[in-house]
Amino acid sequence: MEYKLDEIDLKILRMMQDNARINNAELARELGMAPSAVLERVKKLEQKEVLLAYYAKINPIALNQKMLSFIFIKVDEIIGDERTGRLLAEIPEVLEVHDIAGDDGYLIKVRTQDSLALVHLMRNSLSKIDGVISTRTIIVLQTVKEDNKIIVPVSLD
Amino acid sequence: MEYKLDEIDLKILRMMQDNARINNAELARELGMAPSAVLERVKKLEQKEVLLAYYAKINPIALNQKMLSFIFIKVDEIIGDERTGRLLAEIPEVLEVHDIAGDDGYLIKVRTQDSLALVHLMRNSLSKIDGVISTRTIIVLQTVKEDNKIIVPVSLD
DNA sequence: GGTGAAAGGGAGTAGAA
DNA sequence: TTCTACTCCCTTTCACC
């Protein structure tokens, strides 16, 4: 999984992160390279799992997903058992599942239509998962930023 | 911002969310339509802000961003003042900023190289923001899921 | 690693239904 | 909104450096 990235790779990553649908010819122009060389690099970045996926960000409102919440889930399981996390990840409304330090738990990010759908999810999905002891829900009123773009340095030295 | 989506639009959204780099001809083949008609629809979905952006998901480990955390930020500000949220959003390590219900605060998602960089960020960026009263940090040990794909229904009725 | 040529296919526009 | 037809440009491969 270790893979040496040079400045050109980092530029590619930066452009791809900003607009995954940029075409190869445009990338090549920005880099001052032949399209074939750039294509090679992109393929290698995918193959080496540096570029993991290309997502379209859909406006949740357009699909009636008006409610966003984070839920802390306390779990009764031996450390190292990852079953609960996998079960949580299978719920379609659950966008993120993080194993967190502290009191044996998970933090999940959930998008639902409304508060009713959230309650329904908690009653019918979450609480049915073996090992879930308790939950604490954080309601999001408004999202200011949600692009998940990580920092791409100028060089890695 | 209201825009009627039909089943074809929803299929496009589903395919785009799964792979933003799918090409228009492939979309058209899957839909059994002419490429020009599909292109029209995609353009309209972008224009109507249903499709908001196309992101490449980069492996954070490849860029030495080994640490993920969530931080609750308690803020002393009148309700409706959004300055603090905007300032938080400007910090490059901050991937998400959510205005949360309850005790006048924000929940932010932060990716840094390591715990030192996190402490540095908290000392030099967070605590320098006007109105920040206190913070509570949640350390992520392991991320099980992080695709942020929302549910695209079969129809919207 | 990189370039450049060549073939084949896709992107995008126009006009008609 | 869709299709067909058309042009132009891009993608992709391959030989070579």
Side-chain angles (χ1 to χ4, degrees):
Chain A
M1 242 224 50
E2 265 312 302
Y3 184 61
K4 277 256 179 285
L5 301 169
D6 65 12
E7 273 83 357
I8 299 174
D9 291 320
L10 295 174
K11 277 187 192 166
I12 292 173
L13 293 177
R14 222 173 288 125
M15 288 187 272
M16 285 288 220
Q17 184 167 239
D18 283 343
N19 173 20
R21 279 182 75 77
I22 188 172
N23 69 32
N24 190 62
E26 179 65 24
L27 276 175
R29 268 191 298 269
E30 298 270 356
L31 296 166
M33 289 170 69
S36 52
V38 176
L39 188 65
E40 271 293 304
R41 278 174 178 267
V42 173
K43 288 255 171 77
K44 199 164 277 177
L45 289 168
E46 292 171 347
Q47 184 213 315
K48 298 292 180 185
E49 292 179 67
V50 177
L51 281 169
L52 296 174
Y54 306 106
Y55 295 140
K57 186 182 180 187
I58 299 172
N59 188 337
I61 307 298
L63 296 181
N64 272 321
Q65 309 265 19
K66 295 179 289 289
M67 178 149 211
L68 179 64
S69 35
F70 288 86
I71 309 178
F72 286 94
I73 297 180
K74 202 170 273 185
V75 166
D76 168 30
E77 68 177 349
I78 48 166
I79 299 159
D81 188 351
E82 295 166 345
R83 245 178 314 173
T84 308
R86 269 185 279 117
L87 289 171
L88 290 168
E90 283 171 13
I91 302 170
E93 286 89 349
V94 173
L95 311 183
E96 301 187 14
V97 176
H98 305 279
D99 193 339
I100 58 174
D103 34 30
D104 305 332
Y106 292 94
L107 174 59
I108 69 175
K109 181 177 173 182
V110 176
R111 218 178 259 285
T112 53
Q113 289 205 221
D114 48 34
S115 54
L116 248 110
L118 177 63
V119 171
H120 187 271
L121 177 98
M122 292 179 68
R123 287 234 180 90
N124 294 277
S125 301
L126 290 193
S127 59
K128 296 251 168 86
I129 292 177
D130 235 36
V132 170
I133 294 174
S134 66
T135 64
R136 188 165 66 88
T137 305
I138 312 292
I139 303 297
V140 172
L141 300 176
Q142 194 195 357
T143 293
V144 182
K145 181 181 188 177
E146 194 189 17
D147 59 17
N148 278 282
K149 286 192 212 170
I150 69 176
I151 298 175
V152 181
V154 180
S155 78
L156 279 176
D157 316 295
Chain B
M1 244 226 46
E2 265 313 301
Y3 183 62
K4 278 255 179 286
L5 301 170
D6 64 13
E7 272 84 357
I8 299 174
D9 290 321
L10 295 174
K11 277 187 193 168
I12 292 173
L13 293 177
R14 221 172 289 122
M15 288 188 271
M16 285 289 221
Q17 183 167 239
D18 283 342
N19 173 21
R21 280 181 75 78
I22 188 171
N23 68 35
N24 188 63
E26 179 64 25
L27 276 176
R29 268 191 298 270
E30 298 269 355
L31 296 167
M33 289 170 68
S36 54
V38 176
L39 189 64
E40 273 292 305
R41 278 174 177 268
V42 172
K43 286 261 167 72
K44 200 165 275 178
L45 289 168
E46 291 170 349
Q47 184 213 314
K48 298 291 180 187
E49 292 179 68
V50 177
L51 280 168
L52 296 174
Y54 306 106
Y55 293 141
K57 186 182 179 187
I58 300 171
N59 188 337
I61 306 298
L63 296 182
N64 273 320
Q65 309 266 18
K66 294 180 290 290
M67 179 150 212
L68 180 64
S69 34
F70 288 86
I71 308 178
F72 286 94
I73 296 180
K74 202 169 274 184
V75 166
D76 168 31
E77 68 177 347
I78 48 165
I79 298 160
D81 187 349
E82 294 165 344
R83 244 178 313 171
T84 309
R86 269 185 279 118
L87 290 171
L88 290 168
E90 282 171 13
I91 302 170
E93 287 88 350
V94 173
L95 310 183
E96 301 186 14
V97 177
H98 305 280
D99 194 339
I100 58 175
D103 34 28
D104 306 332
Y106 292 94
L107 174 59
I108 68 176
K109 180 178 173 183
V110 176
R111 217 179 258 287
T112 53
Q113 290 205 220
D114 48 34
S115 54
L116 249 110
L118 177 63
V119 172
H120 187 271
L121 177 98
M122 293 179 69
R123 287 234 181 90
N124 295 276
S125 302
L126 291 192
S127 59
K128 295 250 170 84
I129 291 177
D130 236 36
V132 170
I133 294 173
S134 65
T135 64
R136 188 164 67 86
T137 304
I138 313 291
I139 302 297
V140 172
L141 300 176
Q142 193 194 358
T143 293
V144 182
K145 181 182 189 178
E146 194 188 16
D147 59 18
N148 278 282
K149 287 192 212 169
I150 69 176
I151 298 175
V152 180
V154 180
S155 77
L156 279 176
D157 317 295

